[in-house]
Amino acid sequence: MSEMAYRNGSFVTMEPDLHGPAHTMTESRHPHHPKRLRWFDILLLAIPCVAVLIVPFYNRVEPKLWGIPFFYWWQLMWVPLCSVFLGLVYLRLRRRRAGS
């Protein structure tokens, strides 16, 4: 059974040393750790944040949607969209974890 350890700013997997004493563990470095966020995951998480933080972009009344000013429906639109982006990142992490 392997264990995780944090060494020198990165995670390493500690695996049993089958050729050594019974209770020793050796480090196994993985360059692409399955639980680590990659640049595309970070981009997917940043899109909703940036979309609602750039207030001058959506600080207006027109266009209205069913009589609701743009300012309000833009913010409300990002509530479910944020869940979609989080779900995409979760699925990508889960797929990587299953593949490793």
Side-chain angles (χ1 to χ4, degrees):
M1 181 166 82
S2 63
E3 299 174 7
M4 295 298 296
Y6 190 75
R7 301 252 169 92
N8 299 328
S10 65
F11 284 98
V12 294
T13 304
M14 302 296 290
E15 297 177 352
D17 185 6
L18 301 177
H19 303 291
H23 298 290
T24 61
M25 303 288 269
T26 59
E27 291 184 15
S28 171
R29 297 210 180 264
H30 297 286
H32 297 290
H33 195 273
K35 293 182 183 178
R36 180 172 257 166
L37 290 176
R38 295 185 180 162
W39 70 269
F40 190 69
D41 300 325
I42 294 170
L43 177 70
L44 286 174
L45 293 174
I47 289 172
C49 296
V50 171
V52 296
L53 288 177
I54 303 177
V55 179
F57 171 73
Y58 62 91
N59 189 14
R60 58 179 185 245
V61 175
E62 298 292 330
K64 291 186 177 183
L65 181 67
W66 299 302
I68 301 172
F70 182 74
F71 180 81
Y72 293 113
W73 69 258
W74 176 261
Q75 292 178 30
L76 291 174
M77 175 188 71
W78 280 101
V79 173
L81 279 178
C82 186
S83 299
V84 170
F85 281 90
L86 286 171
L88 287 172
V89 172
Y90 171 74
L91 290 175
R92 287 174 49 85
L93 284 173
R94 195 171 83 176
R95 187 177 337 131
R96 276 199 305 268
R97 198 175 306 147
S100 64

XYZ file of all heavy atoms in Angstrom:
842
model
N 0.851 -1.173 0.000
C 0.000 0.000 0.000
C 0.895 1.234 0.000
O 1.859 1.322 0.736
C -0.899 -0.024 1.238
C -1.818 1.152 1.301
S -3.150 0.970 2.489
C -2.330 1.432 3.987
N 0.563 2.210 -0.845
C 1.393 3.413 -0.933
C 0.815 4.520 -0.063
O -0.363 4.533 0.254
C 1.496 3.881 -2.384
O 0.228 4.228 -2.861
N 1.671 5.450 0.329
C 1.283 6.593 1.144
C 1.754 7.859 0.452
O 2.689 7.836 -0.335
C 1.929 6.509 2.525
C 1.520 5.291 3.319
C 2.293 5.180 4.629
O 3.043 6.135 4.961
O 2.149 4.173 5.291
N 1.098 8.983 0.735
C 1.490 10.272 0.166
C 2.293 11.056 1.201
O 1.987 11.019 2.384
C 0.259 11.086 -0.240
C -0.553 10.463 -1.353
S 0.357 10.287 -2.882
C 0.678 11.988 -3.278
N 3.306 11.751 0.721
C 4.112 12.615 1.579
C 4.400 13.902 0.824
O 4.456 13.912 -0.404
C 5.411 11.917 1.960
N 4.575 14.991 1.539
C 4.881 16.292 0.943
C 6.340 16.584 1.219
O 6.746 16.782 2.354
C 3.981 17.365 1.548
C 4.065 18.685 0.840
C 3.455 18.866 -0.389
C 4.755 19.751 1.384
C 3.514 20.068 -1.058
C 4.829 20.965 0.732
C 4.199 21.114 -0.481
O 4.259 22.315 -1.149
N 7.167 16.607 0.154
C 8.590 16.826 0.296
C 9.065 17.862 -0.715
O 8.752 17.769 -1.896
C 9.363 15.534 0.041
C 8.987 14.401 0.954
C 10.106 14.149 1.946
N 9.670 13.246 2.979
C 9.810 11.938 2.943
N 10.378 11.377 1.913
N 9.400 11.198 3.947
N 9.828 18.819 -0.275
C 10.462 19.813 -1.153
C 9.467 20.503 -2.080
O 9.726 20.688 -3.266
C 11.582 19.172 -1.972
C 12.674 18.610 -1.098
O 12.951 19.146 -0.032
N 13.266 17.516 -1.516
N 8.305 20.838 -1.595
C 7.337 21.585 -2.380
C 6.506 20.766 -3.336
O 5.796 21.316 -4.160
N 6.575 19.429 -3.263
C 5.743 18.613 -4.141
C 5.361 17.323 -3.429
O 6.010 16.900 -2.481
C 6.464 18.293 -5.456
O 7.591 17.490 -5.193
N 4.291 16.724 -3.901
C 3.838 15.477 -3.330
C 4.607 14.316 -3.935
O 4.875 14.289 -5.137
C 2.340 15.268 -3.574
C 1.486 16.103 -2.687
C 0.954 17.290 -3.139
C 1.207 15.711 -1.400
C 0.171 18.070 -2.335
C 0.428 16.482 -0.575
C -0.102 17.668 -1.033
N 4.969 13.367 -3.106
C 5.611 12.149 -3.581
C 4.829 10.965 -3.032
O 4.208 11.042 -1.987
C 7.090 12.049 -3.154
C 7.921 13.118 -3.821
C 7.226 12.129 -1.651
N 4.868 9.873 -3.763
C 4.218 8.649 -3.320
C 5.265 7.785 -2.639
O 6.323 7.520 -3.203
C 3.620 7.881 -4.511
O 2.734 8.742 -5.193
C 2.872 6.658 -4.048
N 4.970 7.375 -1.441
C 5.865 6.496 -0.709
C 5.372 5.067 -0.926
O 4.249 4.735 -0.570
C 5.864 6.847 0.777
C 6.258 8.284 1.075
S 7.940 8.672 0.618
C 8.833 7.754 1.829
N 6.213 4.240 -1.549
C 5.828 2.871 -1.853
C 6.699 1.904 -1.061
O 7.865 2.176 -0.793
C 5.959 2.611 -3.347
C 5.027 3.481 -4.161
C 5.199 3.295 -5.652
O 6.157 2.602 -6.062
O 4.381 3.837 -6.395
N 6.142 0.745 -0.697
C 6.937 -0.230 0.055
C 8.128 -0.713 -0.772
O 8.026 -0.922 -1.971
C 5.970 -1.378 0.307
C 4.633 -0.903 -0.091
C 4.794 0.305 -0.932
N 9.255 -0.828 -0.121
C 10.454 -1.350 -0.772
C 10.439 -2.858 -0.610
O 10.691 -3.396 0.459
C 11.694 -0.733 -0.134
C 12.976 -1.138 -0.840
O 12.884 -1.799 -1.897
O 14.054 -0.774 -0.345
N 10.133 -3.562 -1.688
C 9.980 -5.011 -1.623
C 11.316 -5.741 -1.499
O 11.351 -6.915 -1.137
C 9.227 -5.518 -2.853
C 7.821 -4.928 -3.028
C 7.201 -5.441 -4.320
C 6.946 -5.260 -1.845
N 12.420 -5.054 -1.815
C 13.722 -5.703 -1.758
C 14.494 -5.345 -0.498
O 15.579 -5.875 -0.280
C 14.551 -5.332 -3.001
C 13.864 -5.683 -4.283
N 13.680 -6.978 -4.680
C 13.285 -4.924 -5.229
C 13.034 -7.011 -5.831
N 12.777 -5.750 -6.192
N 13.958 -4.466 0.302
C 14.656 -4.035 1.505
C 13.978 -4.584 2.752
O 13.179 -5.519 2.689
N 14.279 -3.985 3.906
C 13.626 -4.409 5.143
C 12.105 -4.255 5.046
O 11.586 -3.511 4.227
C 14.203 -3.463 6.198
C 15.473 -2.961 5.603
C 15.281 -2.962 4.125
N 11.405 -4.979 5.871
C 9.947 -5.083 5.777
C 9.220 -3.756 5.945
O 8.148 -3.568 5.378
C 9.441 -6.078 6.807
N 9.761 -2.825 6.694
C 9.016 -1.604 7.003
C 9.606 -0.344 6.380
O 9.383 0.750 6.866
C 8.906 -1.419 8.518
C 8.161 -2.525 9.178
N 6.809 -2.710 9.020
C 8.584 -3.537 9.968
C 6.431 -3.764 9.696
N 7.491 -4.290 10.284
N 10.344 -0.454 5.308
C 10.906 0.744 4.676
C 10.030 1.182 3.512
O 9.337 0.383 2.896
C 12.341 0.499 4.167
O 12.305 -0.537 3.199
C 13.272 0.138 5.304
N 10.059 2.477 3.232
C 9.296 3.050 2.124
C 10.269 3.837 1.257
O 11.179 4.486 1.762
C 8.197 3.980 2.634
C 7.208 3.343 3.599
S 6.106 2.219 2.775
C 4.784 3.299 2.383
N 10.083 3.797 -0.054
C 10.909 4.584 -0.964
C 10.031 5.587 -1.682
O 8.840 5.372 -1.854
C 11.625 3.686 -1.996
O 10.632 2.970 -2.727
C 12.571 2.718 -1.316
N 10.655 6.692 -2.129
C 9.916 7.732 -2.842
C 9.749 7.361 -4.301
O 10.663 6.858 -4.935
C 10.649 9.072 -2.752
C 10.664 9.672 -1.384
C 11.325 11.031 -1.378
O 11.512 11.610 -2.462
O 11.641 11.508 -0.288
N 8.570 7.630 -4.823
C 8.298 7.452 -6.241
C 7.734 8.767 -6.755
O 6.614 9.139 -6.414
C 7.281 6.322 -6.440
O 6.866 6.267 -7.769
N 8.508 9.493 -7.549
C 8.065 10.806 -8.030
C 7.196 10.642 -9.268
O 7.526 9.907 -10.184
C 9.255 11.678 -8.348
C 10.088 11.950 -7.121
C 10.751 13.301 -7.244
N 11.542 13.543 -6.071
C 11.111 14.237 -5.026
N 9.914 14.738 -5.012
N 11.883 14.423 -3.987
N 6.071 11.368 -9.270
C 5.171 11.376 -10.412
C 5.132 12.798 -10.968
O 4.683 13.708 -10.280
C 3.754 10.947 -10.014
C 3.691 9.541 -9.514
N 3.798 8.465 -10.349
C 3.547 9.035 -8.266
C 3.706 7.355 -9.642
N 3.562 7.673 -8.381
N 5.590 13.040 -12.203
C 5.606 14.404 -12.733
C 4.210 14.984 -12.896
O 4.017 16.161 -12.724
C 6.307 14.263 -14.083
C 6.186 12.826 -14.436
C 6.107 12.074 -13.146
N 3.226 14.164 -13.216
C 1.853 14.626 -13.358
C 0.994 13.904 -12.347
O 0.425 12.851 -12.637
C 1.335 14.388 -14.778
C 2.095 15.144 -15.804
N 2.019 16.512 -15.915
C 2.969 14.750 -16.741
C 2.801 16.911 -16.883
N 3.392 15.864 -17.407
N 0.963 14.439 -11.154
C 0.182 13.820 -10.090
C -1.298 13.879 -10.448
O -1.787 14.919 -10.884
C 0.451 14.548 -8.770
C -0.024 13.785 -7.597
N -1.297 13.889 -7.136
C 0.599 12.869 -6.822
C -1.439 13.086 -6.102
N -0.311 12.460 -5.897
N -2.065 12.780 -10.298
C -3.468 12.766 -10.726
C -4.364 13.736 -9.963
O -5.409 14.119 -10.462
C -3.898 11.321 -10.497
C -2.911 10.750 -9.544
C -1.634 11.502 -9.753
N -3.974 14.159 -8.766
C -4.816 15.072 -7.994
C -4.441 16.532 -8.221
O -5.100 17.425 -7.726
C -4.709 14.758 -6.504
C -5.306 13.426 -6.132
C -5.218 13.212 -4.651
C -5.751 11.849 -4.281
N -5.632 11.600 -2.853
N -3.387 16.784 -8.972
C -2.908 18.145 -9.186
C -3.676 18.812 -10.330
O -3.934 18.207 -11.352
C -1.427 18.104 -9.506
C -0.831 19.463 -9.750
C 0.635 19.368 -9.866
N 1.141 19.855 -8.591
C 2.359 19.694 -8.180
N 3.216 19.009 -8.884
N 2.753 20.187 -7.038
N -4.033 20.071 -10.142
C -4.717 20.827 -11.185
C -3.736 21.189 -12.294
O -2.620 21.617 -12.023
C -5.317 22.108 -10.613
C -6.506 21.951 -9.683
C -6.910 23.311 -9.147
C -7.667 21.306 -10.383
N -4.163 21.019 -13.519
C -3.352 21.407 -14.663
C -3.802 22.779 -15.128
O -4.780 23.328 -14.653
C -3.487 20.369 -15.764
C -2.920 19.030 -15.330
C -2.926 18.038 -16.426
N -2.374 16.779 -15.936
C -2.540 15.636 -16.528
N -3.227 15.568 -17.648
N -2.025 14.549 -16.028
N -3.066 23.357 -16.085
C -3.344 24.737 -16.508
C -4.751 24.868 -17.067
O -5.405 25.886 -16.857
C -2.289 25.221 -17.497
C -2.364 24.559 -18.843
C -1.715 23.434 -19.239
C -3.163 24.967 -19.947
N -2.068 23.118 -20.522
C -2.953 24.044 -20.991
C -4.041 26.028 -20.159
C -3.586 24.139 -22.213
C -4.675 26.124 -21.397
C -4.442 25.195 -22.397
N -5.261 23.869 -17.787
C -6.600 23.969 -18.358
C -7.662 23.923 -17.256
O -8.686 24.610 -17.341
C -6.827 22.844 -19.373
C -8.084 23.023 -20.167
C -8.203 24.043 -21.089
C -9.168 22.178 -19.980
C -9.360 24.226 -21.816
C -10.332 22.344 -20.700
C -10.429 23.372 -21.618
N -7.421 23.143 -16.197
C -8.344 23.112 -15.058
C -8.400 24.468 -14.369
O -9.465 24.955 -14.002
C -7.919 22.042 -14.051
C -7.900 20.651 -14.655
O -8.754 20.365 -15.517
O -7.034 19.854 -14.257
N -7.250 25.088 -14.202
C -7.197 26.408 -13.567
C -7.916 27.437 -14.425
O -8.640 28.295 -13.917
C -5.732 26.801 -13.292
C -5.137 25.854 -12.252
C -5.622 28.248 -12.844
C -3.649 25.974 -12.073
N -7.748 27.325 -15.739
C -8.452 28.226 -16.649
C -9.969 28.047 -16.528
O -10.713 29.029 -16.460
C -8.004 27.977 -18.094
C -8.714 28.808 -19.157
C -8.300 30.268 -19.040
C -8.406 28.265 -20.535
N -10.427 26.802 -16.481
C -11.861 26.545 -16.330
C -12.405 27.104 -15.019
O -13.540 27.570 -14.953
C -12.151 25.039 -16.411
C -12.059 24.400 -17.786
C -12.233 22.883 -17.676
C -13.095 24.988 -18.726
N -11.615 27.059 -13.965
C -12.052 27.605 -12.678
C -11.978 29.126 -12.656
O -12.739 29.779 -11.934
C -11.210 27.021 -11.543
C -11.392 25.531 -11.277
C -10.396 25.063 -10.236
C -12.810 25.218 -10.853
N -11.083 29.708 -13.434
C -10.914 31.162 -13.438
C -11.980 31.868 -14.267
O -12.317 33.022 -13.980
C -9.535 31.525 -13.963
N -12.529 31.212 -15.273
C -13.508 31.860 -16.157
C -14.703 32.411 -15.385
O -15.046 33.588 -15.541
C -13.936 30.903 -17.290
C -12.786 30.730 -18.274
C -15.178 31.413 -18.003
C -13.023 29.660 -19.311
N -15.382 31.632 -14.519
C -16.514 32.211 -13.782
C -16.099 33.350 -12.846
O -16.836 34.327 -12.693
C -17.079 31.039 -12.980
C -16.554 29.815 -13.629
C -15.268 30.190 -14.266
N -14.925 33.224 -12.242
C -14.466 34.283 -11.334
C -14.263 35.592 -12.086
O -14.723 36.649 -11.651
C -13.168 33.865 -10.660
S -13.336 32.434 -9.592
N -13.578 35.509 -13.203
C -13.298 36.707 -13.996
C -14.598 37.285 -14.565
O -14.786 38.501 -14.598
C -12.289 36.379 -15.119
C -12.144 37.528 -16.086
C -10.947 36.012 -14.514
N -15.502 36.413 -14.978
C -16.749 36.871 -15.599
C -17.600 37.723 -14.654
O -18.281 38.648 -15.097
C -17.564 35.687 -16.091
N -17.570 37.422 -13.372
C -18.384 38.213 -12.437
C -17.584 39.307 -11.736
O -18.170 40.189 -11.111
C -19.086 37.319 -11.387
C -20.065 36.404 -12.042
C -18.102 36.557 -10.542
N -16.262 39.277 -11.831
C -15.451 40.306 -11.168
C -15.187 41.522 -12.045
O -14.784 42.564 -11.538
C -14.118 39.708 -10.704
C -14.220 38.768 -9.505
C -12.851 38.188 -9.179
C -14.795 39.475 -8.297
N -15.405 41.416 -13.339
C -15.200 42.572 -14.222
C -16.524 43.334 -14.308
O -17.264 43.250 -15.284
C -14.712 42.127 -15.605
C -13.432 41.324 -15.462
C -14.475 43.336 -16.501
C -12.910 40.771 -16.767
N -16.826 44.052 -13.253
C -18.108 44.756 -13.132
C -18.329 45.792 -14.233
O -19.454 45.893 -14.740
C -18.241 45.390 -11.728
C -19.546 46.139 -11.594
C -18.133 44.313 -10.656
N -17.338 46.567 -14.670
C -17.617 47.538 -15.737
C -18.157 46.897 -17.021
O -18.849 47.550 -17.787
C -16.258 48.195 -15.987
C -15.535 48.052 -14.703
C -15.983 46.733 -14.142
N -17.864 45.625 -17.240
C -18.368 44.951 -18.428
C -19.891 44.795 -18.393
O -20.563 44.975 -19.401
C -17.707 43.576 -18.573
C -18.339 42.738 -19.646
C -18.131 43.027 -20.986
C -19.160 41.673 -19.313
C -18.724 42.258 -21.975
C -19.753 40.904 -20.290
C -19.534 41.201 -21.628
N -20.446 44.447 -17.244
C -21.880 44.186 -17.184
C -22.654 45.222 -16.370
O -23.828 45.027 -16.047
C -22.161 42.769 -16.660
C -21.674 42.482 -15.262
C -22.493 42.703 -14.166
C -20.416 41.958 -15.040
C -22.067 42.422 -12.892
C -19.979 41.665 -13.766
C -20.815 41.898 -12.701
O -20.377 41.617 -11.433
N -22.056 46.354 -16.078
C -22.721 47.409 -15.317
C -23.558 48.282 -16.259
O -23.225 49.431 -16.536
C -21.690 48.250 -14.567
C -22.344 49.208 -13.603
O -23.525 49.084 -13.305
N -21.575 50.158 -13.128
N -24.650 47.687 -16.753
C -25.561 48.415 -17.645
C -26.947 47.788 -17.566
O -27.122 46.704 -17.022
C -25.034 48.404 -19.073
C -24.831 47.032 -19.644
C -24.327 47.123 -21.079
N -24.251 45.810 -21.656
C -23.147 45.207 -22.030
N -21.996 45.813 -21.873
N -23.181 44.014 -22.572
N -27.926 48.464 -18.133
C -29.315 48.008 -18.073
C -29.682 47.178 -19.300
O -30.362 46.162 -19.197
C -30.274 49.226 -17.937
C -31.717 48.788 -17.990
C -29.968 49.975 -16.656
N -29.232 47.609 -20.468
C -29.570 46.919 -21.719
C -28.502 45.885 -22.056
O -27.330 46.111 -21.763
C -29.709 47.937 -22.854
C -30.816 48.953 -22.641
C -32.209 48.345 -22.689
O -32.410 47.340 -23.399
O -33.096 48.877 -22.010
N -28.815 44.793 -22.660
C -30.115 44.289 -23.097
C -30.867 43.641 -21.933
O -30.268 43.009 -21.076
C -29.752 43.252 -24.154
C -28.425 42.729 -23.729
C -27.721 43.894 -23.083
N -32.161 43.804 -21.955
C -33.002 43.194 -20.932
C -33.434 41.805 -21.387
O -33.594 41.552 -22.569
C -34.235 44.057 -20.663
C -33.908 45.363 -19.986
C -35.161 46.097 -19.627
C -34.807 47.385 -18.882
N -35.991 48.108 -18.448
N -33.597 40.927 -20.425
C -34.074 39.567 -20.681
C -35.326 39.359 -19.847
O -35.256 39.324 -18.623
C -32.990 38.551 -20.313
C -33.308 37.091 -20.542
C -33.438 36.800 -22.044
C -32.209 36.206 -19.949
N -36.484 39.259 -20.496
C -37.794 39.164 -19.835
C -37.994 40.308 -18.838
O -38.546 40.124 -17.746
C -37.964 37.823 -19.118
C -37.892 36.652 -20.032
C -38.676 36.409 -21.105
C -36.980 35.563 -19.938
N -38.308 35.239 -21.697
C -37.254 34.689 -21.004
C -35.931 35.231 -19.080
C -36.551 33.525 -21.226
C -35.238 34.073 -19.302
C -35.547 33.239 -20.354
N -37.530 41.477 -19.193
C -37.687 42.664 -18.361
C -36.641 42.808 -17.262
O -36.654 43.777 -16.510
N -35.715 41.860 -17.158
C -34.668 41.908 -16.128
C -33.441 42.595 -16.726
O -32.959 42.199 -17.788
C -34.301 40.483 -15.655
C -35.530 39.773 -15.078
C -33.185 40.532 -14.616
C -35.298 38.309 -14.767
N -32.911 43.640 -16.054
C -31.731 44.339 -16.569
C -30.520 43.404 -16.696
O -30.375 42.429 -15.963
C -31.458 45.420 -15.521
C -32.743 45.600 -14.806
C -33.428 44.272 -14.834
N -29.671 43.721 -17.656
C -28.474 42.930 -17.936
C -27.626 42.712 -16.691
O -27.106 41.617 -16.478
C -27.650 43.622 -19.028
C -26.430 42.868 -19.436
C -26.525 41.731 -20.219
C -25.159 43.294 -19.047
C -25.394 41.024 -20.613
C -24.023 42.603 -19.433
C -24.139 41.470 -20.214
N -27.498 43.734 -15.856
C -26.676 43.635 -14.640
C -27.084 42.440 -13.780
O -26.239 41.715 -13.259
C -26.798 44.938 -13.834
C -25.988 44.952 -12.572
C -24.632 45.239 -12.618
C -26.569 44.680 -11.344
C -23.877 45.265 -11.453
C -25.823 44.695 -10.183
C -24.470 44.985 -10.238
N -28.393 42.219 -13.636
C -28.878 41.147 -12.767
C -28.841 39.782 -13.450
O -28.433 38.786 -12.856
C -30.291 41.457 -12.283
C -30.329 42.642 -11.365
C -30.953 43.814 -11.743
C -29.719 42.595 -10.122
C -30.968 44.918 -10.916
C -29.721 43.694 -9.279
C -30.358 44.852 -9.689
O -30.364 45.937 -8.863
N -29.311 39.723 -14.730
C -29.353 38.399 -15.321
C -27.971 37.879 -15.674
O -27.752 36.669 -15.728
C -30.333 38.302 -16.487
C -30.033 39.010 -17.775
C -30.568 40.180 -18.196
C -29.166 38.562 -18.830
N -30.085 40.497 -19.446
C -29.222 39.516 -19.860
C -28.356 37.460 -19.015
C -28.502 39.408 -21.038
C -27.631 37.338 -20.184
C -27.722 38.309 -21.176
N -26.978 38.743 -15.860
C -25.605 38.290 -16.084
C -25.081 37.575 -14.839
O -24.498 36.500 -14.928
C -24.710 39.478 -16.436
C -23.261 39.131 -16.593
C -22.276 39.286 -15.673
C -22.641 38.553 -17.747
N -21.079 38.853 -16.172
C -21.282 38.393 -17.451
C -23.099 38.164 -18.995
C -20.377 37.857 -18.354
C -22.194 37.633 -19.901
C -20.858 37.482 -19.576
N -25.303 38.166 -13.673
C -24.845 37.545 -12.427
C -25.597 36.248 -12.142
O -24.996 35.247 -11.735
C -25.009 38.516 -11.266
C -24.090 39.695 -11.345
C -24.326 40.656 -10.212
O -24.730 40.268 -9.126
N -24.066 41.927 -10.451
N -26.905 36.276 -12.348
C -27.704 35.072 -12.096
C -27.368 33.954 -13.077
O -27.439 32.774 -12.725
C -29.195 35.401 -12.158
C -29.713 36.260 -11.017
C -31.163 36.647 -11.258
C -29.577 35.526 -9.697
N -27.006 34.277 -14.290
C -26.632 33.279 -15.281
C -25.381 32.512 -14.844
O -25.254 31.318 -15.095
C -26.383 33.955 -16.635
C -25.874 33.039 -17.710
S -25.390 33.923 -19.199
C -23.902 34.751 -18.665
N -24.474 33.196 -14.155
C -23.226 32.554 -13.766
C -23.361 31.630 -12.570
O -22.439 30.851 -12.290
C -22.144 33.601 -13.530
C -21.573 34.039 -14.830
C -21.870 35.183 -15.517
C -20.669 33.309 -15.653
N -21.199 35.212 -16.697
C -20.444 34.074 -16.815
C -20.023 32.088 -15.530
C -19.597 33.646 -17.828
C -19.182 31.677 -16.548
C -18.986 32.444 -17.678
N -24.473 31.660 -11.856
C -24.658 30.724 -10.735
C -24.693 29.286 -11.244
O -23.898 28.446 -10.797
C -25.907 31.093 -9.903
C -26.181 30.030 -8.851
C -25.727 32.462 -9.261
N -25.581 28.932 -12.196
C -25.532 27.553 -12.702
C -24.302 27.275 -13.575
O -23.780 26.159 -13.575
C -26.827 27.402 -13.505
C -27.259 28.775 -13.828
C -26.726 29.667 -12.748
N -23.835 28.307 -14.315
C -22.652 28.100 -15.145
C -21.412 27.782 -14.307
O -20.559 26.985 -14.717
C -22.379 29.320 -16.020
C -23.212 29.427 -17.285
C -22.866 30.711 -18.040
C -23.010 28.229 -18.175
N -21.319 28.374 -13.142
C -20.201 28.077 -12.244
C -20.224 26.606 -11.841
O -19.187 25.944 -11.796
C -20.266 28.980 -11.017
S -18.848 28.811 -9.940
N -21.410 26.080 -11.587
C -21.530 24.653 -11.258
C -21.091 23.783 -12.429
O -20.475 22.734 -12.231
C -22.969 24.319 -10.888
O -23.367 25.047 -9.762
N -21.394 24.201 -13.637
C -20.975 23.448 -14.824
C -19.451 23.420 -14.920
O -18.849 22.358 -15.137
C -21.597 24.063 -16.102
C -20.981 23.465 -17.353
C -23.103 23.875 -16.095
N -18.810 24.560 -14.725
C -17.353 24.617 -14.795
C -16.709 23.786 -13.678
O -15.740 23.068 -13.923
C -16.857 26.067 -14.717
C -16.981 26.807 -16.017
C -18.129 27.521 -16.320
C -15.962 26.795 -16.939
C -18.259 28.202 -17.519
C -16.068 27.481 -18.141
C -17.217 28.181 -18.434
N -17.245 23.875 -12.464
C -16.718 23.063 -11.363
C -16.897 21.581 -11.656
O -16.020 20.761 -11.378
C -17.418 23.422 -10.056
C -17.031 24.746 -9.424
C -17.957 25.078 -8.267
C -15.604 24.716 -8.962
N -18.045 21.213 -12.217
C -18.296 19.818 -12.562
C -17.334 19.305 -13.624
O -16.871 18.160 -13.549
N -17.021 20.144 -14.608
C -16.060 19.741 -15.638
C -14.678 19.471 -15.043
O -14.026 18.475 -15.379
C -15.960 20.823 -16.710
C -17.131 20.949 -17.666
C -16.967 22.185 -18.550
C -17.262 19.707 -18.513
N -14.241 20.348 -14.153
C -12.934 20.152 -13.523
C -12.956 18.895 -12.659
O -12.009 18.101 -12.683
C -12.525 21.392 -12.701
C -11.274 21.120 -11.885
C -12.317 22.576 -13.609
N -14.032 18.671 -11.942
C -14.144 17.468 -11.116
C -14.073 16.206 -11.970
O -13.356 15.254 -11.637
C -15.458 17.498 -10.321
C -15.738 16.195 -9.627
C -15.030 15.823 -8.490
C -16.705 15.320 -10.118
C -15.277 14.619 -7.867
C -16.957 14.117 -9.495
C -16.237 13.771 -8.373
O -16.476 12.575 -7.755
N -14.792 16.190 -13.084
C -14.770 15.012 -13.960
C -13.388 14.783 -14.559
O -12.937 13.642 -14.694
C -15.815 15.160 -15.065
C -17.258 15.075 -14.614
C -18.202 15.362 -15.778
C -17.558 13.723 -13.996
N -12.704 15.871 -14.913
C -11.345 15.734 -15.451
C -10.397 15.164 -14.394
O -9.592 14.284 -14.688
C -10.831 17.086 -15.939
C -11.463 17.564 -17.222
C -11.011 18.980 -17.582
N -9.588 19.187 -17.526
C -8.740 18.916 -18.524
N -9.205 18.424 -19.643
N -7.450 19.151 -18.386
N -10.500 15.629 -13.145
C -9.663 15.106 -12.076
C -9.985 13.643 -11.781
O -9.091 12.830 -11.564
C -9.837 15.933 -10.806
C -9.156 17.284 -10.779
C -9.552 18.058 -9.541
C -7.655 17.144 -10.850
N -11.261 13.302 -11.769
C -11.672 11.930 -11.492
C -11.177 10.979 -12.590
O -10.733 9.869 -12.299
C -13.184 11.850 -11.339
C -13.654 10.562 -10.707
C -15.087 10.623 -10.380
N -15.832 10.304 -11.586
C -17.137 10.192 -11.665
N -17.860 10.446 -10.605
N -17.729 9.883 -12.776
N -11.255 11.418 -13.844
C -10.787 10.584 -14.956
C -9.266 10.360 -14.854
O -8.780 9.270 -15.069
C -11.141 11.232 -16.279
C -10.833 10.330 -17.459
C -11.223 10.878 -18.806
N -12.248 11.885 -18.789
C -12.153 13.043 -19.419
N -11.060 13.341 -20.100
N -13.129 13.920 -19.375
N -8.538 11.432 -14.500
C -7.077 11.287 -14.343
C -6.744 10.371 -13.184
O -5.809 9.570 -13.250
C -6.430 12.649 -14.138
C -6.160 13.371 -15.419
C -5.127 14.456 -15.237
N -5.436 15.407 -14.200
C -6.091 16.547 -14.386
N -6.528 16.865 -15.580
N -6.297 17.366 -13.400
N -7.488 10.488 -12.093
C -7.237 9.647 -10.924
C -7.512 8.187 -11.231
O -6.784 7.303 -10.796
C -8.121 10.110 -9.762
C -7.642 9.603 -8.433
C -8.451 10.160 -7.284
N -8.493 11.603 -7.307
C -9.536 12.316 -6.893
N -10.602 11.727 -6.445
N -9.508 13.619 -6.949
N -8.558 7.917 -12.015
C -8.895 6.536 -12.379
C -7.872 5.962 -13.350
O -7.623 4.759 -13.352
C -10.292 6.481 -12.991
N -7.280 6.817 -14.181
C -6.312 6.362 -15.158
C -4.933 6.089 -14.588
O -4.109 5.434 -15.208
N -4.661 6.570 -13.392
C -3.312 6.379 -12.832
C -3.235 5.187 -11.920
O -4.155 4.606 -11.509
C -2.886 7.623 -12.052
O -3.707 7.832 -10.939
